[in-house]
Amino acid sequence: MPGRVEWAAMDLTERPRRLRRTAALRRLARETRLDAAGLVAPLFVQAGSGIRTSIDALPGHRRWSPDTVGEEAERLQALGVGALILFGIPESKDATGTSGWDPEGPVPQGLRRIREATSDLVLMADVCLCEYTNHGHCGVLDSSGRDVDNDPTLTLLGREAVVYADAGADIVAPSAMMDGQVAALREALDTEGFQHTAILAYSAKSASAFYGPFRDAAGSTPGEGDRRGYQMDAANRREALREAALDLAEGADAVMVKPAGPYLDLIRDIADVVDVPVAAYQVSGEYAMLHAAANAGALDLDAAAYESLLGIRRAGARWILTYFADRAAEALQTGRWE
Ligand code: PBG
């Protein structure tokens, strides 16, 4: 193929620096760009009113209540952010996560409020039980009390998705890593008349050390045990392709890799073979890590945030869920990032 690298016959007179000489040349030669429309901002919605509580583990982020979250959504819309994804912090938790499918829960209320306040944002809702169960696992426990029971959990996730769709979610995003969760959601949505509601599958979601700040923010750390029995083993690459293929066969409209930065190879593998949009979630720990390093004087936060997002996009992610969404959108809007 002309122009492609032929390792054995490199022309040693080539001068790649010619296209790096000026900012204008670099801009012209740039292969990857970020756009605000592809950014998805995570929002935490807590039951109650008048809440705007800072989250220590996630600098710059707050927990909102349904009555205050509209102002944050308006701010993000004005910056050009493409979408929001909502997580809930309920008033009460129980063994089966009942508050997760309460139509008056924080997420459905927040969705309705944001719909009133904004007109140009895609609204996503995370579908999982860990924020709503008193044991903090992503589904209901079996009789041993140690394992998450897959199939009974599917029914509950389906109920939760229908409630979020009914409250105005354009896209529901199952993140419990139960087998068959996409098919269960599709069927529940179709049965209830939500054929138009799309599913973004957390396909390759690894059991990761990088979720720590999120679990602080959402109060969803498992009481006992961990999530290794359902989230993917961090070592696996082929399994990620299998998970994505299964989710597509079950009816997913888009697939996700999570976390993003340490898993760029999985993003690339999946982006190379699927036709649907590929999303990647730059998770709470990735964000907190860059803030901590910047606070320690080790790096420039803005430049590091840009580079981290660019890497995720370069790996093949079309949509990026990131706690940097507001900063990135502002930087793109003002031309600080190009
Ligand atoms: C729910 C869920 C989690 C995250 C997104 N959805 C927590 C978890 O699996 O423990 C983590 C997001 C982040 O760390 O930013 N299951």
Side-chain angles (χ1 to χ4, degrees):
M1 219 192 297
R4 284 284 164 136
V5 174
E6 282 185 47
W7 297 104
M10 289 290 282
D11 177 354
L12 298 182
T13 65
E14 271 196 37
R15 298 247 171 203
R17 284 186 56 189
R18 281 184 197 127
L19 296 183
R20 296 180 200 145
R21 193 168 50 81
T22 66
L25 280 165
R26 290 192 292 276
R27 200 183 310 128
L28 185 70
R30 192 158 294 139
E31 297 175 37
T32 306
R33 284 195 162 77
L34 294 168
D35 64 334
L39 299 175
V40 184
L43 287 185
F44 296 93
V45 189
Q46 183 173 353
S49 63
I51 299 170
R52 294 181 185 83
T53 313
S54 302
I55 301 169
D56 291 343
L58 287 174
H61 285 265
R62 292 169 189 272
R63 294 175 175 197
W64 307 90
S65 42
D67 61 322
T68 59
V69 73
E71 58 193 65
E72 177 68 349
E74 278 176 59
R75 185 179 75 89
L76 292 163
Q77 175 176 257
L79 290 170
V81 169
L84 311 179
I85 182 160
L86 270 59
F87 298 92
I89 302 152
E91 213 154 32
S92 64
K93 307 190 184 203
D94 61 19
T96 55
T98 311
S99 50
W101 58 89
D102 175 1
E104 297 308 318
V107 168
Q109 280 195 45
L111 287 167
R112 289 193 291 265
R113 176 71 197 104
I114 294 170
R115 269 277 172 255
E116 277 166 26
T118 65
S119 55
D120 205 23
L121 282 169
V122 171
L123 301 189
M124 303 186 184
D126 183 87
V127 176
C128 193
L129 295 182
C130 63
E131 297 126 78
Y132 306 99
T133 52
N134 51 16
H135 43 74
H137 280 286
C138 299
V140 291
L141 300 180
D142 66 10
S143 51
S144 77
R146 279 192 299 274
D147 267 344
V148 172
D149 208 351
N150 196 86
D151 295 7
T153 299
L154 297 180
T155 314
L156 307 182
L157 294 173
R159 254 184 235 173
E160 190 181 345
V162 166
V163 167
Y164 297 166
D166 191 42
D170 300 295
I171 301 180
V172 288
S175 72
M177 289 303 280
M178 294 300 118
D179 292 339
Q181 62 182 7
V182 172
L185 260 61
R186 191 67 272 157
E187 173 159 11
L189 291 166
D190 290 351
T191 304
E192 297 298 327
F194 297 102
Q195 284 85 358
H196 56 279
T197 305
I199 297 176
L200 165 60
Y202 282 77
S203 298
K205 174 173 175 180
S206 297
S208 170
F210 289 95
Y211 304 150
F214 173 96
R215 292 179 187 170
D216 273 355
S220 62
T221 309
E224 266 179 68
D226 53 40
R227 305 207 202 290
R228 290 173 196 277
Y230 39 102
Q231 297 181 343
M232 258 183 58
D233 190 304
N236 295 354
R237 181 175 171 195
R238 292 189 305 174
E239 190 184 347
L241 283 169
R242 189 150 163 252
E243 283 280 8
L246 269 170
D247 286 346
L248 289 174
E250 290 177 29
D253 300 284
V255 294
M256 198 198 303
V257 173
K258 174 187 170 189
Y263 297 83
L264 295 178
D265 55 333
L266 305 191
I267 299 175
R268 172 46 60 202
D269 284 349
I270 291 175
D272 278 346
V273 297
V274 305
D275 302 323
V276 298
V278 175
Y281 197 146
Q282 183 184 50
V283 300
S284 57
E286 297 178 72
Y287 176 83
M289 195 164 64
L290 292 183
H291 270 274
N295 283 342
L299 49 76
D300 177 77
L301 183 62
D302 201 64
Y306 172 71
E307 193 174 325
S308 70
L309 292 170
L310 196 64
I312 295 165
R313 167 60 56 82
R314 195 186 62 238
R318 187 67 205 81
W319 304 345
I320 306 177
L321 289 73
T322 173
Y323 300 91
F324 286 120
D326 60 343
R327 170 189 291 268
E330 183 267 329
L332 291 163
Q333 199 174 58
T334 57
R336 189 168 81 245
W337 297 2
E338 343 180 47

mmCIF file of all heavy atoms in Angstrom, residues 42 44 87 126 128-131 138 175-176 202 205 210-215 220 222 227 231 258 281-285 323, ligand 1:
data_model
loop_
_atom_site.group_PDB
_atom_site.id
_atom_site.type_symbol
_atom_site.label_atom_id
_atom_site.label_comp_id
_atom_site.label_asym_id
_atom_site.label_seq_id
_atom_site.Cartn_x
_atom_site.Cartn_y
_atom_site.Cartn_z
ATOM 1 N N PRO A 42 -20.979 12.323 34.187
ATOM 2 C CA PRO A 42 -21.669 11.606 35.250
ATOM 3 C C PRO A 42 -22.216 12.593 36.286
ATOM 4 O O PRO A 42 -21.544 13.556 36.647
ATOM 5 C CB PRO A 42 -20.568 10.752 35.897
ATOM 6 C CG PRO A 42 -19.388 10.823 34.967
ATOM 7 C CD PRO A 42 -19.510 12.129 34.252
ATOM 8 N N PHE A 44 -24.413 12.696 40.137
ATOM 9 C CA PHE A 44 -24.937 11.965 41.287
ATOM 10 C C PHE A 44 -26.168 12.685 41.816
ATOM 11 O O PHE A 44 -26.092 13.862 42.183
ATOM 12 C CB PHE A 44 -23.878 11.884 42.387
ATOM 13 C CG PHE A 44 -22.665 11.102 41.964
ATOM 14 C CD1 PHE A 44 -21.557 11.730 41.414
ATOM 15 C CD2 PHE A 44 -22.650 9.714 42.077
ATOM 16 C CE1 PHE A 44 -20.449 11.008 40.996
ATOM 17 C CE2 PHE A 44 -21.543 8.974 41.660
ATOM 18 C CZ PHE A 44 -20.440 9.623 41.119
ATOM 19 N N PHE A 87 -26.583 8.729 38.295
ATOM 20 C CA PHE A 87 -26.462 7.706 39.331
ATOM 21 C C PHE A 87 -27.277 8.169 40.523
ATOM 22 O O PHE A 87 -27.329 9.371 40.811
ATOM 23 C CB PHE A 87 -24.996 7.526 39.740
ATOM 24 C CG PHE A 87 -24.115 7.060 38.621
ATOM 25 C CD1 PHE A 87 -23.448 7.962 37.822
ATOM 26 C CD2 PHE A 87 -23.978 5.708 38.349
ATOM 27 C CE1 PHE A 87 -22.644 7.542 36.770
ATOM 28 C CE2 PHE A 87 -23.179 5.273 37.300
ATOM 29 C CZ PHE A 87 -22.508 6.189 36.509
ATOM 30 N N ASP A 126 -27.726 5.022 34.536
ATOM 31 C CA ASP A 126 -27.009 3.795 34.876
ATOM 32 C C ASP A 126 -28.005 2.836 35.540
ATOM 33 O O ASP A 126 -28.762 3.239 36.420
ATOM 34 C CB ASP A 126 -25.880 4.149 35.849
ATOM 35 C CG ASP A 126 -25.015 2.966 36.228
ATOM 36 O OD1 ASP A 126 -24.050 2.696 35.485
ATOM 37 O OD2 ASP A 126 -25.293 2.323 37.255
ATOM 38 N N CYS A 128 -28.229 -0.375 37.732
ATOM 39 C CA CYS A 128 -27.511 -1.311 38.598
ATOM 40 C C CYS A 128 -28.180 -1.282 39.957
ATOM 41 O O CYS A 128 -28.915 -0.342 40.272
ATOM 42 C CB CYS A 128 -26.043 -0.892 38.721
ATOM 43 S SG CYS A 128 -25.015 -2.181 39.454
ATOM 44 N N LEU A 129 -27.903 -2.301 40.769
ATOM 45 C CA LEU A 129 -28.546 -2.311 42.087
ATOM 46 C C LEU A 129 -27.612 -1.914 43.226
ATOM 47 O O LEU A 129 -28.066 -1.712 44.349
ATOM 48 C CB LEU A 129 -29.144 -3.699 42.374
ATOM 49 C CG LEU A 129 -30.304 -4.130 41.461
ATOM 50 C CD1 LEU A 129 -30.835 -5.489 41.893
ATOM 51 C CD2 LEU A 129 -31.430 -3.102 41.464
ATOM 52 N N CYS A 130 -26.298 -1.754 42.948
ATOM 53 C CA CYS A 130 -25.365 -1.573 44.070
ATOM 54 C C CYS A 130 -25.621 -0.299 44.865
ATOM 55 O O CYS A 130 -25.316 -0.234 46.049
ATOM 56 C CB CYS A 130 -23.911 -1.636 43.602
ATOM 57 S SG CYS A 130 -23.453 -0.334 42.452
ATOM 58 N N GLU A 131 -26.198 0.708 44.237
ATOM 59 C CA GLU A 131 -26.495 1.934 44.982
ATOM 60 C C GLU A 131 -27.732 1.767 45.864
ATOM 61 O O GLU A 131 -27.990 2.601 46.716
ATOM 62 C CB GLU A 131 -26.729 3.102 44.014
ATOM 63 C CG GLU A 131 -25.514 3.469 43.175
ATOM 64 C CD GLU A 131 -25.831 3.480 41.680
ATOM 65 O OE1 GLU A 131 -26.434 4.447 41.195
ATOM 66 O OE2 GLU A 131 -25.486 2.479 41.019
ATOM 67 N N CYS A 138 -24.221 -5.733 43.289
ATOM 68 C CA CYS A 138 -24.930 -5.234 42.105
ATOM 69 C C CYS A 138 -26.197 -6.028 41.781
ATOM 70 O O CYS A 138 -26.842 -5.768 40.762
ATOM 71 C CB CYS A 138 -23.988 -5.223 40.910
ATOM 72 S SG CYS A 138 -22.568 -4.133 41.182
ATOM 73 N N SER A 175 -25.061 -1.807 34.182
ATOM 74 C CA SER A 175 -23.660 -1.914 34.611
ATOM 75 C C SER A 175 -23.447 -2.989 35.659
ATOM 76 O O SER A 175 -22.415 -3.023 36.310
ATOM 77 C CB SER A 175 -23.162 -0.566 35.129
ATOM 78 O OG SER A 175 -23.743 -0.263 36.367
ATOM 79 N N ALA A 176 -24.441 -3.884 35.829
ATOM 80 C CA ALA A 176 -24.329 -4.875 36.906
ATOM 81 C C ALA A 176 -23.455 -6.070 36.527
ATOM 82 O O ALA A 176 -23.062 -6.848 37.391
ATOM 83 C CB ALA A 176 -25.718 -5.365 37.297
ATOM 84 N N TYR A 202 -22.558 -1.798 29.400
ATOM 85 C CA TYR A 202 -21.227 -1.850 29.999
ATOM 86 C C TYR A 202 -20.740 -3.267 29.691
ATOM 87 O O TYR A 202 -20.967 -4.185 30.464
ATOM 88 C CB TYR A 202 -21.310 -1.695 31.507
ATOM 89 C CG TYR A 202 -21.518 -0.311 32.100
ATOM 90 C CD1 TYR A 202 -22.773 0.297 32.093
ATOM 91 C CD2 TYR A 202 -20.465 0.351 32.748
ATOM 92 C CE1 TYR A 202 -22.957 1.529 32.700
ATOM 93 C CE2 TYR A 202 -20.663 1.585 33.358
ATOM 94 C CZ TYR A 202 -21.910 2.170 33.326
ATOM 95 O OH TYR A 202 -22.088 3.380 33.930
ATOM 96 N N LYS A 205 -16.574 -4.474 31.613
ATOM 97 C CA LYS A 205 -16.381 -3.719 32.851
ATOM 98 C C LYS A 205 -15.569 -4.596 33.788
ATOM 99 O O LYS A 205 -16.008 -5.675 34.185
ATOM 100 C CB LYS A 205 -17.740 -3.387 33.476
ATOM 101 C CG LYS A 205 -17.627 -2.736 34.845
ATOM 102 C CD LYS A 205 -18.989 -2.283 35.340
ATOM 103 C CE LYS A 205 -18.918 -1.749 36.751
ATOM 104 N NZ LYS A 205 -20.224 -1.302 37.237
ATOM 105 N N PHE A 210 -9.961 1.106 40.501
ATOM 106 C CA PHE A 210 -10.134 2.522 40.172
ATOM 107 C C PHE A 210 -11.546 3.060 40.423
ATOM 108 O O PHE A 210 -11.839 4.179 40.026
ATOM 109 C CB PHE A 210 -9.735 2.762 38.708
ATOM 110 C CG PHE A 210 -8.246 2.646 38.492
ATOM 111 C CD1 PHE A 210 -7.683 1.452 38.065
ATOM 112 C CD2 PHE A 210 -7.404 3.718 38.734
ATOM 113 C CE1 PHE A 210 -6.315 1.340 37.868
ATOM 114 C CE2 PHE A 210 -6.035 3.616 38.540
ATOM 115 C CZ PHE A 210 -5.486 2.422 38.111
ATOM 116 N N TYR A 211 -12.423 2.254 41.053
ATOM 117 C CA TYR A 211 -13.779 2.725 41.323
ATOM 118 C C TYR A 211 -13.920 3.343 42.719
ATOM 119 O O TYR A 211 -15.019 3.709 43.122
ATOM 120 C CB TYR A 211 -14.808 1.589 41.204
ATOM 121 C CG TYR A 211 -14.819 0.861 39.876
ATOM 122 C CD1 TYR A 211 -15.175 -0.484 39.805
ATOM 123 C CD2 TYR A 211 -14.492 1.517 38.693
ATOM 124 C CE1 TYR A 211 -15.193 -1.169 38.592
ATOM 125 C CE2 TYR A 211 -14.505 0.836 37.480
ATOM 126 C CZ TYR A 211 -14.852 -0.508 37.443
ATOM 127 O OH TYR A 211 -14.872 -1.179 36.244
ATOM 128 N N GLY A 212 -12.811 3.404 43.465
ATOM 129 C CA GLY A 212 -12.887 3.829 44.857
ATOM 130 C C GLY A 212 -13.630 5.134 45.105
ATOM 131 O O GLY A 212 -14.576 5.166 45.911
ATOM 132 N N PRO A 213 -13.272 6.218 44.425
ATOM 133 C CA PRO A 213 -13.949 7.498 44.708
ATOM 134 C C PRO A 213 -15.442 7.452 44.394
ATOM 135 O O PRO A 213 -16.246 8.052 45.102
ATOM 136 C CB PRO A 213 -13.218 8.491 43.794
ATOM 137 C CG PRO A 213 -11.884 7.869 43.532
ATOM 138 C CD PRO A 213 -12.127 6.393 43.520
ATOM 139 N N PHE A 214 -15.812 6.718 43.343
ATOM 140 C CA PHE A 214 -17.239 6.588 43.008
ATOM 141 C C PHE A 214 -17.995 5.928 44.149
ATOM 142 O O PHE A 214 -19.094 6.351 44.521
ATOM 143 C CB PHE A 214 -17.407 5.748 41.737
ATOM 144 C CG PHE A 214 -18.840 5.420 41.388
ATOM 145 C CD1 PHE A 214 -19.542 6.197 40.480
ATOM 146 C CD2 PHE A 214 -19.492 4.322 41.967
ATOM 147 C CE1 PHE A 214 -20.864 5.889 40.156
ATOM 148 C CE2 PHE A 214 -20.804 4.013 41.643
ATOM 149 C CZ PHE A 214 -21.491 4.807 40.735
ATOM 150 N N ARG A 215 -17.406 4.885 44.696
ATOM 151 C CA ARG A 215 -18.106 4.158 45.766
ATOM 152 C C ARG A 215 -18.258 5.035 46.995
ATOM 153 O O ARG A 215 -19.243 4.928 47.721
ATOM 154 C CB ARG A 215 -17.394 2.852 46.063
ATOM 155 C CG ARG A 215 -17.535 1.882 44.880
ATOM 156 C CD ARG A 215 -16.827 0.567 45.116
ATOM 157 N NE ARG A 215 -16.849 -0.239 43.889
ATOM 158 C CZ ARG A 215 -16.161 -1.350 43.720
ATOM 159 N NH1 ARG A 215 -15.399 -1.813 44.713
ATOM 160 N NH2 ARG A 215 -16.233 -2.023 42.598
ATOM 161 N N SER A 220 -21.608 2.993 47.784
ATOM 162 C CA SER A 220 -21.978 1.684 47.229
ATOM 163 C C SER A 220 -20.868 0.639 47.358
ATOM 164 O O SER A 220 -20.801 -0.293 46.566
ATOM 165 C CB SER A 220 -22.357 1.840 45.751
ATOM 166 O OG SER A 220 -21.249 2.307 45.002
ATOM 167 N N PRO A 222 -19.280 -2.644 48.528
ATOM 168 C CA PRO A 222 -19.884 -3.866 49.080
ATOM 169 C C PRO A 222 -19.507 -4.057 50.551
ATOM 170 O O PRO A 222 -18.354 -3.832 50.918
ATOM 171 C CB PRO A 222 -19.305 -4.986 48.216
ATOM 172 C CG PRO A 222 -18.493 -4.366 47.158
ATOM 173 C CD PRO A 222 -18.392 -2.899 47.401
ATOM 174 N N ARG A 227 -16.448 -7.633 43.883
ATOM 175 C CA ARG A 227 -17.281 -7.828 42.703
ATOM 176 C C ARG A 227 -16.633 -8.771 41.679
ATOM 177 O O ARG A 227 -17.031 -8.805 40.525
ATOM 178 C CB ARG A 227 -17.553 -6.478 42.033
ATOM 179 C CG ARG A 227 -18.168 -5.417 42.939
ATOM 180 C CD ARG A 227 -18.984 -4.432 42.122
ATOM 181 N NE ARG A 227 -19.206 -3.148 42.749
ATOM 182 C CZ ARG A 227 -19.979 -2.942 43.809
ATOM 183 N NH1 ARG A 227 -20.589 -3.960 44.393
ATOM 184 N NH2 ARG A 227 -20.135 -1.723 44.295
ATOM 185 N N GLN A 231 -17.876 -8.901 37.820
ATOM 186 C CA GLN A 231 -17.128 -8.019 36.920
ATOM 187 C C GLN A 231 -15.957 -8.796 36.301
ATOM 188 O O GLN A 231 -15.494 -9.788 36.856
ATOM 189 C CB GLN A 231 -16.632 -6.789 37.684
ATOM 190 C CG GLN A 231 -17.795 -5.954 38.225
ATOM 191 C CD GLN A 231 -17.364 -4.713 38.970
ATOM 192 O OE1 GLN A 231 -16.220 -4.581 39.384
ATOM 193 N NE2 GLN A 231 -18.303 -3.801 39.165
ATOM 194 N N LYS A 258 -14.694 -0.230 30.417
ATOM 195 C CA LYS A 258 -14.554 0.509 31.669
ATOM 196 C C LYS A 258 -13.675 -0.270 32.623
ATOM 197 O O LYS A 258 -13.900 -1.464 32.761
ATOM 198 C CB LYS A 258 -15.953 0.687 32.270
ATOM 199 C CG LYS A 258 -15.969 1.313 33.637
ATOM 200 C CD LYS A 258 -17.360 1.281 34.195
ATOM 201 C CE LYS A 258 -17.275 1.695 35.648
ATOM 202 N NZ LYS A 258 -18.506 1.507 36.343
ATOM 203 N N TYR A 281 -15.363 4.540 29.694
ATOM 204 C CA TYR A 281 -15.621 5.272 30.933
ATOM 205 C C TYR A 281 -14.291 5.543 31.632
ATOM 206 O O TYR A 281 -13.660 4.625 32.148
ATOM 207 C CB TYR A 281 -16.544 4.440 31.833
ATOM 208 C CG TYR A 281 -17.234 5.195 32.950
ATOM 209 C CD1 TYR A 281 -18.519 4.824 33.354
ATOM 210 C CD2 TYR A 281 -16.643 6.258 33.626
ATOM 211 C CE1 TYR A 281 -19.183 5.492 34.374
ATOM 212 C CE2 TYR A 281 -17.300 6.935 34.645
ATOM 213 C CZ TYR A 281 -18.566 6.557 35.023
ATOM 214 O OH TYR A 281 -19.213 7.216 36.035
ATOM 215 N N GLN A 282 -13.887 6.811 31.596
ATOM 216 C CA GLN A 282 -12.723 7.220 32.378
ATOM 217 C C GLN A 282 -13.234 7.369 33.812
ATOM 218 O O GLN A 282 -13.924 8.333 34.135
ATOM 219 C CB GLN A 282 -12.158 8.549 31.861
ATOM 220 C CG GLN A 282 -10.909 8.976 32.597
ATOM 221 C CD GLN A 282 -10.413 10.342 32.128
ATOM 222 O OE1 GLN A 282 -11.184 11.306 32.058
ATOM 223 N NE2 GLN A 282 -9.143 10.451 31.814
ATOM 224 N N VAL A 283 -12.927 6.411 34.654
ATOM 225 C CA VAL A 283 -13.645 6.299 35.930
ATOM 226 C C VAL A 283 -13.080 7.220 37.003
ATOM 227 O O VAL A 283 -12.069 7.911 36.814
ATOM 228 C CB VAL A 283 -13.675 4.835 36.431
ATOM 229 C CG1 VAL A 283 -14.376 3.933 35.419
ATOM 230 C CG2 VAL A 283 -12.278 4.333 36.754
ATOM 231 N N SER A 284 -13.770 7.172 38.138
ATOM 232 C CA SER A 284 -13.482 8.095 39.238
ATOM 233 C C SER A 284 -12.022 8.051 39.679
ATOM 234 O O SER A 284 -11.413 9.082 39.954
ATOM 235 C CB SER A 284 -14.400 7.781 40.406
ATOM 236 O OG SER A 284 -14.254 6.424 40.813
ATOM 237 N N GLY A 285 -11.441 6.858 39.740
ATOM 238 C CA GLY A 285 -10.059 6.737 40.200
ATOM 239 C C GLY A 285 -9.070 7.346 39.208
ATOM 240 O O GLY A 285 -8.045 7.907 39.609
ATOM 241 N N TYR A 323 -15.360 12.499 34.228
ATOM 242 C CA TYR A 323 -15.578 13.574 35.207
ATOM 243 C C TYR A 323 -14.909 14.870 34.744
ATOM 244 O O TYR A 323 -15.088 15.906 35.372
ATOM 245 C CB TYR A 323 -15.074 13.128 36.591
ATOM 246 C CG TYR A 323 -15.820 11.890 37.065
ATOM 247 C CD1 TYR A 323 -15.333 10.608 36.773
ATOM 248 C CD2 TYR A 323 -17.033 11.989 37.719
ATOM 249 C CE1 TYR A 323 -16.027 9.468 37.139
ATOM 250 C CE2 TYR A 323 -17.746 10.861 38.095
ATOM 251 C CZ TYR A 323 -17.238 9.603 37.794
ATOM 252 O OH TYR A 323 -17.948 8.482 38.147
HETATM 253 C C1 PBG B 1 -22.330 0.616 39.307
HETATM 254 C C2 PBG B 1 -21.236 1.468 38.795
HETATM 255 C C3 PBG B 1 -19.958 1.695 39.343
HETATM 256 C C4 PBG B 1 -19.346 2.622 38.522
HETATM 257 C C5 PBG B 1 -20.233 2.917 37.502
HETATM 258 N N1 PBG B 1 -21.392 2.163 37.674
HETATM 259 C C6 PBG B 1 -19.354 1.201 40.578
HETATM 260 C C7 PBG B 1 -18.866 -0.171 40.693
HETATM 261 O O1 PBG B 1 -19.013 -1.021 39.817
HETATM 262 O O2 PBG B 1 -18.347 -0.434 41.772
HETATM 263 C C8 PBG B 1 -17.979 3.200 38.735
HETATM 264 C C9 PBG B 1 -17.736 4.491 38.063
HETATM 265 C C10 PBG B 1 -16.541 5.217 38.539
HETATM 266 O O3 PBG B 1 -15.685 4.722 39.282
HETATM 267 O O4 PBG B 1 -16.440 6.386 38.141
HETATM 268 N N2 PBG B 1 -22.100 -0.731 39.325
#
